[in-house]
Amino acid sequence: MMQTEICPTDMKVLMNHIYEYQKGVRRMVLFTFNKKYEEAAVRRLESQNISYIIQPVGNDRLNLFFGRKECLDTIRMMVTRPLNELSPEEDFILGTMLGYDLCMQCERYCERRGRCNKLRQA
């Protein structure tokens, strides 16, 4: 018995990201997905006139950045190697650009720099 996926989960997630971008919830998105959906993803973004950058991750996965031109110009200059090799500062900037929680980004930055104050104040 052959099963056909009408809309794979990866594509549903992408469509939700596109919707959020178009509604102004996000100015830039990072979406990691299976390479077999690359053509469909690119076709969808181009049909919506959305700028994007694709970077291979390995293991048949791709990172797809899309959004505002200013953000993508920064990504082109800053993300020139795998994300796990970014400096703590580059990682902080990227997370902030993606709209991740600022306080969590600050904590992540401190941890990556090895200077996190373990005493927390309420």
Side-chain angles (χ1 to χ4, degrees):
M1 182 166 117
M2 201 166 129
Q3 190 174 22
T4 306
E5 282 188 347
I6 294 174
C7 190
T9 303
D10 275 353
M11 293 308 293
K12 287 180 184 177
V13 171
L14 174 63
M15 288 187 278
N16 185 65
H17 284 320
I18 290 171
Y19 173 82
E20 288 180 349
Y21 170 71
Q22 291 175 324
K23 293 297 179 188
V25 175
R26 301 168 182 263
R27 298 195 180 227
M28 186 178 76
V29 174
L30 167 57
F31 174 56
T32 303
F33 67 108
N34 191 301
K35 185 177 177 143
K36 68 182 175 181
Y37 301 118
E38 179 178 9
E39 186 179 321
V42 166
R43 193 170 45 245
R44 186 72 172 199
L45 290 170
E46 289 180 350
S47 75
Q48 302 286 316
N49 254 353
I50 299 173
S51 299
Y52 63 90
I53 298 170
I54 295 178
Q55 295 179 330
V57 177
N59 299 326
D60 290 327
R61 311 238 354 122
L62 300 170
N63 277 340
L64 171 65
F65 293 92
F66 67 89
R68 299 276 303 262
K69 180 189 180 306
E70 306 90 325
C71 297
L72 295 179
D73 287 346
T74 301
I75 294 301
R76 282 185 189 92
M77 287 189 285
M78 189 175 67
V79 183
T80 57
R81 57 199 178 283
L83 297 181
N84 65 337
E85 294 178 13
L86 294 180
S87 72
E89 292 79 12
E90 292 165 330
D91 180 81
F92 178 84
I93 292 167
L94 177 60
T96 304
M97 288 174 63
L98 289 167
Y100 298 167
D101 179 87
L102 180 59
C103 293
M104 289 176 68
Q105 283 303 113
C106 290
E107 188 173 308
R108 178 179 167 92
Y109 173 74
C110 289
E111 286 173 2
R112 291 193 70 204
R113 291 296 309 240
R115 297 182 185 163
C116 202
N117 182 358
K118 298 298 179 190
L119 296 176
R120 306 244 166 137
Q121 296 178 348

